[in-house]
Amino acid sequence: MPLSEHEQRMLEQMERALYAEDPKFATALEGSGLRTYTRRRVYQAVAGFLVGIALLMAGMVAQQVWLSVVGFLVMLGCAVLAVTGWRKAPSRASSPRPGPQHPMDADRDGRNAP
């Protein structure tokens, strides 16, 4: 369920307050553990995809259709894992930064107003 506009503003204010109060702690909480997890998941999916290719080729060489089908299914499953892991990976640009994100936010908060 997405946050309402009010809840989103409250969350942004809390993030800015955290950065202002303890920037070192706030940068430690940016989600590096999640990035590491998703990166590892994508790497595992790529390795599994390569194993699937090997199974597919081995099935073709040995003329074992079932082995080729298993290889294809492994490739398909790993491709899905890699794509979903890639999409869920947080980008560096989406991490919260202290201060207003654009000029309109500064006016709403009452800071940096002309």
Side-chain angles (χ1 to χ4, degrees):
M1 174 190 277
L3 296 175
S4 70
E5 188 175 323
H6 175 69
E7 292 169 332
Q8 188 68 33
R9 276 187 300 213
M10 294 292 291
L11 181 61
E12 289 172 2
Q13 287 175 354
M14 287 189 290
E15 288 173 351
R16 284 193 293 263
L18 178 63
Y19 268 95
E21 188 175 308
D22 193 355
K24 188 175 180 181
F25 178 68
T27 55
L29 293 178
E30 279 186 345
S32 61
L34 181 61
R35 275 194 298 268
T36 303
Y37 171 75
T38 53
R39 185 181 306 133
R40 186 180 315 132
R41 181 176 167 189
V42 169
Y43 288 155
Q44 289 172 344
V46 168
F49 188 85
L50 294 175
V51 168
I53 289 175
L55 286 173
L56 182 89
M57 297 302 261
M60 290 172 55
V61 169
Q63 295 181 350
Q64 299 292 324
V65 176
W66 66 270
L67 189 58
S68 295
V69 170
V70 168
F72 176 76
L73 292 175
V74 168
M75 288 170 52
L76 182 65
C78 289
V80 168
L81 283 176
V83 169
T84 58
W86 192 270
R87 286 186 180 172
K88 289 180 183 177
S91 66
R92 196 72 170 152
S94 68
S95 63
R97 292 185 189 92
Q101 297 299 318
H102 50 67
M104 295 305 287
D105 287 343
D107 293 338
R108 266 188 272 159
D109 294 335
R111 292 183 288 152
N112 301 334

